[in-house]
Amino acid sequence: MTARFVPPHPPRGKPVAMWRGFVGERARTAVYGWSKEAFRKRHLRMKVFAFNVHIPLDPNVVERVLLGNAGNYEKPRVVKKLLRPLIGEGLLSSDGALWRDQRRVVAGSFAPAAVDGKVPVFAAAARAAGDAWRPGTRDMAAAATETTMCVIAMSLFAGDPRLTSDIAMRHIAASLEGGNVARLQAVLGLPIVPLTPKALRGLRGQKFLRETLAAVVHERLPDGGAEDFLGHLIRALRERFPPEEATALAVDNAATFYLAGHETTANALTWTLFILSELPELQNDAAQEARQALSAGEGDPGLPERLPLLHRVLEETLRLYPPVPRFDREAVGLDSLAGHEVRAGDFISIWPWLLHRHEALWDDPNAFDLDRWTDERRHARHRFQYIPFGGGPRVCVGARFATVEALTVLAHWLSRWSFAPMPGREVAASGMVTLRPKGGLPLRLSRRD
Ligand code: HEM
């Protein structure tokens, strides 16, 4: 690829007070309203209501928070409060011994061999989606969400139809949107009560998801039933915890994996399709690679290794549009970060969005450039400057699952369909928890053969 391509990003202005993150577009889009300095400075410090917030932008400091001194940085109490009604004390929202025990319980299900064994499931979901398409316009953000939801239900929950229904999809979207409203109440230390119709829909969505997953878990008691992720989870938790606690944790983790496991990957698929729709030559090359790779057999676990070009496209897309643009920690005790004192209770906000586009870390950071992904340049970089999946002991447990799933699904779709942008339609990033194109991603589909 020769021509320089800079995909859209929100405009950058002057620094604004952090409280403004709770009003207007900034309240809807985490990556909106950043100043130019935020992409140049090595450390940002600010006060948000009662909290001291640090945003480290030096990869060495990020490494200290996530790895070197990770014991001093836990998931923030306000985030846990916000997440508790939905994912309780599951893997994502627990700390200490409870987190460690749960991480051990699920580790085997996400080991490389286990993930590679899921390629046929990923392929079947991709094929089923693609078979139903007709040439014309389709919202690929919705298609990606349906497909990844189907993948999670098939690969972790024995394909339970309650987890792939339209109603489940609507409730998930509502709970994510409702979460934004609750965020302000949680940060202010207020009880989380629904104040707006959106917040009310969010709460109803949470209730539906929680009750559905609780029913799915209870039907599998006491021995976990099938030899799948959920069965293993229930059995392993019952070996370690008293029955009541084990059941509660099984529901918490069912919700955690159901939610964490599909919305993020759907966004990764969507942004990759957006980039490829803007770069037709690259798309043709990726489609050609996909066809060759698939000729060895559709469910072949070695498929991802035969997609090096597509893999680079995915990595560069996750740099420019990290599906999780920020995540947070709270300091447990004293520390010093980049010469700034950190006290117990301070917030450390880790921002892949800022790190991935930082001027001191990347050449021409806003441009899409596959040459960044040669082995040589990859190894020359600090490993904590590119963190779409986080880092350290709490690195995304589903990172490999997501990568193999995204490559398999994209290979299937690209081998049969070509994707073109809608003329005149602008794409903008949106979302507070995850980053997706505002209003979906309608693309024009035509058959490749
Ligand atoms: C492109 C897709 C994905 C992205 C960008 C992503 C991103 C992340 C990030 C940044 C974290 C770390 C959060 C933190 O440190 O506070 C995380 C954690 C986590 N992710 Fe993912 N994720 C993806 C896919 C998945 C999938 C497919 C699953 C499961 C099937 C999953 C399950 C989890 C869980 C359970 C955690 C918590 C791990 C722990 O705290 O030990 N994620 N993810």
Side-chain angles (χ1 to χ4, degrees):
M1 194 183 55
T2 45
R4 180 171 175 267
F5 171 54
V6 181
H9 60 79
R12 292 169 189 172
K14 297 203 166 64
V16 291
M18 210 47 188
W19 64 264
R20 290 182 59 183
F22 292 92
V23 292
E25 185 57 29
R26 279 204 75 159
R28 291 184 287 274
T29 301
V31 302
Y32 185 87
W34 283 99
S35 66
K36 291 191 178 100
E37 280 90 294
F39 299 87
R40 291 180 187 146
K41 289 190 172 166
R42 304 313 298 261
H43 198 89
L44 305 176
R45 255 184 90 189
M46 54 204 64
K47 193 115 182 147
V48 183
F49 301 111
F51 298 96
N52 289 318
V53 179
H54 296 255
I55 303 184
L57 296 170
D58 172 345
N60 287 306
V61 180
V62 175
E63 179 169 12
R64 178 171 178 81
V65 175
L66 296 181
L67 179 64
N69 196 19
N72 191 47
Y73 297 101
E74 297 197 334
K75 294 288 171 122
R77 280 167 294 174
V78 321
V79 173
K80 288 183 194 165
K81 179 175 167 185
L82 201 59
L83 296 175
R84 194 168 302 128
L86 196 52
I87 60 173
E89 291 190 285
L91 183 64
L92 190 86
S93 44
S94 56
D95 278 295
L98 183 57
W99 166 76
R100 234 183 335 274
D101 275 353
Q102 298 187 81
R103 183 96 188 188
R104 278 196 200 114
V105 163
V106 300
S109 303
F110 294 92
V115 171
D116 294 350
K118 300 279 183 223
V119 168
V121 177
F122 304 152
R127 226 178 316 112
D131 282 351
W133 298 342
R134 297 289 167 267
T137 305
R138 177 166 294 275
D139 178 359
M140 290 311 297
T145 303
E146 280 164 32
T147 306
T148 56
M149 193 181 234
C150 184
V151 162
I152 280 293
M154 301 287 286
S155 50
L156 303 188
F157 300 102
D160 197 302
R162 284 167 289 186
L163 304 181
T164 54
S165 64
D166 282 353
I167 184 149
M169 236 170 104
R170 275 203 302 280
H171 280 308
I172 286 179
S175 25
L176 286 174
E177 279 182 30
N180 282 352
V181 184
R183 193 173 65 100
L184 177 58
Q185 293 163 26
V187 169
L188 291 173
L190 302 171
I192 300 174
V193 285
L195 297 174
T196 61
K198 199 185 261 186
L200 203 66
R201 277 197 299 278
L203 219 64
R204 274 202 299 270
Q206 287 186 357
K207 193 163 171 288
F208 171 89
L209 293 174
R210 193 70 201 176
E211 284 174 4
T212 306
L213 288 160
V216 170
V217 167
H218 277 92
E219 285 163 19
R220 296 275 205 109
L221 293 178
D223 65 352
E227 286 294 326
D228 59 358
F229 169 79
L230 184 60
H232 171 74
L233 179 72
I234 291 172
R235 284 187 290 276
L237 288 170
R238 285 175 73 92
E239 278 166 22
R240 288 172 170 77
F241 297 93
E244 233 173 78
E245 197 181 347
T247 304
L249 287 174
V251 179
D252 289 347
N253 281 300
T256 299
F257 280 88
Y258 180 55
L259 290 174
H262 83 271
E263 159 77 13
T264 43
T265 316
N267 292 333
L269 288 173
T270 306
W271 287 116
T272 309
L273 287 173
F274 163 63
I275 295 276
L276 288 173
S277 71
E278 295 287 326
L279 298 171
E281 274 179 39
L282 178 63
Q283 188 186 149
N284 286 340
D285 292 347
Q288 178 66 21
E289 179 187 76
R291 284 187 163 194
Q292 251 162 29
L294 286 169
S295 64
E298 287 209 340
D300 172 19
L303 175 68
E305 270 69 56
R306 288 197 300 279
L307 300 164
L309 174 65
L310 192 55
H311 197 174
R312 280 160 61 208
V313 174
L314 178 66
E315 286 179 305
E316 180 66 345
T317 305
L318 292 178
R319 182 183 73 82
L320 287 167
Y321 297 104
V324 180
R326 65 84 82 75
F327 49 90
D328 300 290
R329 296 289 187 270
E330 181 177 337
V332 177
L334 278 179
D335 197 10
S336 167
L337 295 179
H340 300 277
E341 186 185 59
V342 173
R343 295 187 185 174
D346 282 3
F347 253 62
I348 318 298
S349 232
I350 307 288
W351 277 85
W353 173 261
L354 299 178
L355 286 160
H356 290 185
R357 291 173 178 260
H358 201 280
E359 291 177 13
L361 299 173
W362 307 88
D363 293 333
D364 200 5
N366 296 312
F368 180 86
D369 180 4
L370 288 184
D371 292 342
R372 300 183 205 279
W373 299 97
T374 59
D375 281 349
E376 198 188 347
R377 289 180 69 183
R378 194 192 295 264
H379 292 134
R381 273 196 294 271
H382 196 296
R383 67 186 164 136
F384 281 80
Q385 82 180 65
Y386 176 72
I387 50 166
F389 295 106
R394 299 206 69 150
V395 69
C396 175
V397 72
R400 187 182 174 97
F401 186 104
T403 306
V404 172
E405 175 186 358
L407 291 175
T408 307
V409 170
L410 287 166
H412 278 270
W413 288 356
L414 288 166
S415 69
R416 292 173 54 198
W417 293 94
S418 84
F419 302 86
M422 297 284 291
R425 189 176 187 281
E426 285 182 13
V427 168
S430 164
M432 284 310 286
V433 185
T434 57
L435 206 61
R436 52 188 177 276
K438 191 182 221 154
L441 180 70
L443 292 179
R444 291 207 315 214
L445 273 61
S446 51
R447 291 189 202 281
R448 274 203 178 267
D449 38 14

